[in-house]
Amino acid sequence: MNFFKILLGGEVEENPGAPAKTRMLPADAPSLVFLEGASLPIVDWEAMDPYVPPTIDKSARDAFWTVLARKWLEALGAALGKGYAVCDSDHFLLLGALDPQNAKAVLDLVERARKRIFMVLDGIARESETGKVCVLVFDSQDRYYEYISNYDAPGEHSMSSGMFIQRGYGHFVFVASEAYAMEPTIAHELTHCLMQHLPLPAWLNEGIAVNTEHQLCPPGRPLYSPEELQERHLKFWNESTIQEFWSGKSWRRPDEGNMLSYDLAKHFVLLASQDYSAFRDFANTADWADGGEAAARKYLGFPVENLAAAVLGEGPWTPQPETWKDGIERGQFRMNA
């Protein structure tokens, strides 16, 4: 069975070291605790943990976090300026400088994408049960980069128009554009969101997200032909750069290594997912600590280096976690965590 076994269209059913705490918002208990030194209001979510209701009722806990998330978005919207407002749907909270019609269109897009992702990633995607998912739509690239700079390490950033941030209260952010142009970003980042419970290595996380995005929103004509891309891959990947790929660091590159990482991961996931049942077990067990190597041998029946050999030819492709001195990235980047 192919990995993406559900054809889409139409409705279907269902900075290292934390900054110090600073001021409190005067509001209904519990008050929000904000992080010191951020350029925009960002909550210290760990400081909110002691206020979680002492109940095993999932709906009560979900409601608790939704209330806090709404209060956060209202404070962030006030700081961003005139035009930013909060609205919601069954599963999402949206903050953006959008008129009511466009806000509803975005919420409709994310609700529809959520349903389809659960169908495509049956047995892999899962609800967080920790409040409605927050969607932040910024009115400019400058605002977008100002916001994400509060999570990322200083220095150069690879270009992007959307990102899922799994730190504190997981949420995804992107730059406003026409609805049709925002849809692929929504599909990609929401896929990350619905897999945040898994310790996936970056290549697997990003490969699943890219392929899911392409199923929900078929891409247009690519920038490079398959032959041109293959030539670029063969020139770029070597004994050193492949370790960046397995550890996830290549997604942090500001050069073409970033683009090539996404494309390589896409091919690896397509190859690994020919048997969906085995792939599902692999995805639910893969660990970023070894690049998914142990899970691949157990559930796919071969080491992950075989995926690289199938695309790049024979070479020094074996993951070497002991050499990953700069740390590991898991995809859907858990910034500075």
Side-chain angles (χ1 to χ4, degrees):
M1 187 188 322
N2 288 331
F3 172 39
F4 299 103
K5 59 188 186 304
I6 304 298
L7 294 178
L8 304 171
E11 292 296 325
V12 293
E13 290 303 319
E14 290 247 337
N15 318 344
K21 303 171 186 177
T22 183
R23 66 186 181 87
M24 306 284 286
L25 273 185
D28 296 336
S31 297
L32 296 179
V33 180
F34 290 95
L35 296 176
E36 184 179 87
S39 66
L40 291 166
I42 295 175
V43 176
D44 180 351
W45 292 105
E46 290 186 2
M48 308 313 298
D49 285 340
Y51 299 99
V52 177
T55 175
I56 61 173
D57 185 340
K58 293 180 179 179
S59 62
R61 296 169 74 90
D62 189 72
F64 167 81
W65 288 114
T66 296
V67 168
L68 294 191
R70 182 184 291 275
K71 288 162 62 71
W72 167 49
L73 294 187
E74 288 171 350
L76 180 56
L80 288 168
K82 184 177 180 180
Y84 280 87
V86 180
C87 56
D88 67 350
S89 60
D90 288 345
H91 302 95
F92 298 91
L93 285 167
L94 171 66
L95 171 66
L98 304 169
D99 61 49
Q101 183 176 0
N102 283 328
K104 183 179 184 305
V106 173
L107 286 170
D108 287 345
L109 281 175
V110 292
E111 288 286 358
R112 183 166 65 249
R114 171 189 166 276
K115 293 178 181 179
R116 293 173 173 176
I117 290 167
F118 276 121
M119 296 296 289
V120 172
L121 299 179
D122 180 34
I124 299 175
R126 193 175 80 185
E127 297 280 17
S128 69
E129 297 180 344
T130 53
K132 292 186 177 183
V133 176
C134 291
V135 183
L136 281 57
V137 184
F138 293 96
D139 59 2
S140 69
Q141 284 279 352
D142 287 344
R143 279 296 203 188
Y144 170 79
Y145 282 111
E146 177 190 4
Y147 180 78
I148 67 172
S149 69
N150 287 291
Y151 295 90
D152 210 353
E156 286 188 285
H157 307 283
S158 56
M159 295 298 293
S160 69
S161 58
M163 181 179 294
F164 178 70
I165 298 177
Q166 188 187 352
R167 183 177 175 189
Y169 195 107
H171 56 288
F172 64 98
V173 301
F174 53 92
V175 182
S177 59
E178 296 298 326
Y180 75 89
M182 290 162 59
E183 193 166 8
T185 302
I186 289 171
H188 186 106
E189 302 308 331
L190 185 53
T191 299
H192 285 316
C193 178
L194 297 177
M195 298 192 299
Q196 65 180 299
H197 60 288
L198 297 171
L200 296 172
W203 73 265
L204 181 55
N205 206 328
E206 295 295 351
I208 293 174
V210 169
N211 281 292
T212 303
E213 171 194 338
H214 289 178
Q215 283 295 307
L216 271 65
C217 313
R221 185 174 180 176
L223 180 62
Y224 302 109
S225 70
E227 295 76 18
E228 290 172 325
L229 260 180
Q230 180 68 6
E231 183 179 353
R232 288 175 176 271
H233 279 302
L234 295 177
K235 287 182 178 179
F236 182 81
W237 300 110
N238 55 42
E239 185 175 8
S240 175
T241 54
I242 199 65
Q243 297 306 318
E244 292 184 32
F245 178 86
W246 296 129
S247 72
K249 288 297 179 182
S250 60
W251 273 268
R252 296 294 197 176
R253 298 181 68 111
D255 58 14
E256 73 168 354
N258 175 272
M259 177 273 291
L260 292 173
S261 295
Y262 281 102
D263 189 70
L264 196 62
K266 176 189 71 175
H267 288 297
F268 284 10
V269 166
L270 286 173
L271 288 168
S273 60
Q274 296 304 301
D275 178 342
Y276 183 76
S277 178
F279 180 79
R280 179 178 56 213
D281 291 339
F282 165 61
N284 279 304
T285 312
D287 196 303
W288 59 347
D290 67 352
E293 174 71 2
R297 288 179 178 274
K298 181 174 181 179
Y299 293 106
L300 300 181
F302 53 79
V304 293
E305 67 184 272
N306 285 17
L307 297 170
V311 178
L312 304 172
E314 295 299 321
W317 311 134
T318 304
Q320 299 175 358
E322 68 277 7
T323 70
W324 300 346
K325 297 179 181 179
D326 294 331
I328 304 170
E329 299 289 351
R330 66 183 293 176
Q332 66 183 28
F333 297 103
R334 192 183 181 111
M335 297 174 158
N336 294 330

